[in-house]
């Protein structure tokens, strides 16, 4: 998205959409609307979903920021719906520990921009 904004070349916007669609296909939990940190079948005992930012930013926060930005750039209500559902799924955890979930807070703030 940054390359699209800088260049105005719609090919970058299309590539961003491809990446977001691929991330949704691999990591979106259809039951809750939230995102997992790992793809299925990776040999893990359980698929985890971390919401807090540590040495690595929260994957959920990163995908939400991308979803909100791409939904706005493409005027894509289907992406906005995915992002809103995921935000609602993690909102209680963010409300409990907002200091540890700055990536998610940034995503939630971005949705109103």
């Amino acid at each position: 998205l940054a390359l699209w904004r800088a260049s105005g070349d719609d090919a970058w916007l299309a590539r961003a959409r491809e990446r977001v669609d691929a991330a949704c296909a691999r990591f979106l939990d259809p039951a809750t609307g939230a995102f997992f940190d790992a793809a299925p079948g990776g040999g893990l005992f359980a698929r985890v979903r971390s919401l807090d930012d540590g040495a690595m930013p929260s994957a959920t926060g990163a995908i939400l920021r991308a979803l909100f930005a791409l939904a706005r750039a493409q005027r894509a209500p289907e992406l906005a719906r995915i992002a809103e559902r995921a935000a609602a799924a993690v909102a209680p955890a963010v409300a409990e520990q907002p200091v540890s979930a700055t990536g998610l807070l940034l995503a939630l703030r971005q949705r109103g921009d």
Side-chain angles (χ1 to χ4, degrees):
L1 285 172
L3 291 170
W4 169 71
R5 284 187 199 107
S7 69
D9 183 350
D10 285 341
W12 291 115
L13 189 61
R15 289 192 66 188
R17 179 61 186 253
E18 290 169 6
R19 299 302 190 271
V20 165
D21 287 345
C24 288
R26 290 186 76 189
F27 302 109
L28 183 64
D29 178 0
T32 66
F35 287 87
F36 289 110
D37 289 358
L44 299 175
F45 178 70
R47 290 178 75 190
V48 295
R49 178 180 298 125
S50 61
L51 305 177
D52 55 329
D53 297 304
M56 294 290 291
S58 160
T60 301
I63 189 64
L64 281 179
R65 287 191 307 276
L67 278 165
F68 283 125
L70 190 57
R72 203 170 35 257
Q74 288 193 318
R75 294 181 177 92
E78 69 281 3
L79 292 180
R81 281 191 295 277
I82 293 168
E84 289 294 343
R85 184 169 183 233
V90 300
V94 174
E96 261 184 47
Q97 300 269 358
V99 174
S100 65
T102 53
L104 286 166
L105 291 173
L106 288 170
L108 296 174
R109 182 175 164 221
Q110 180 183 343
R111 75 178 174 194
D113 291 348

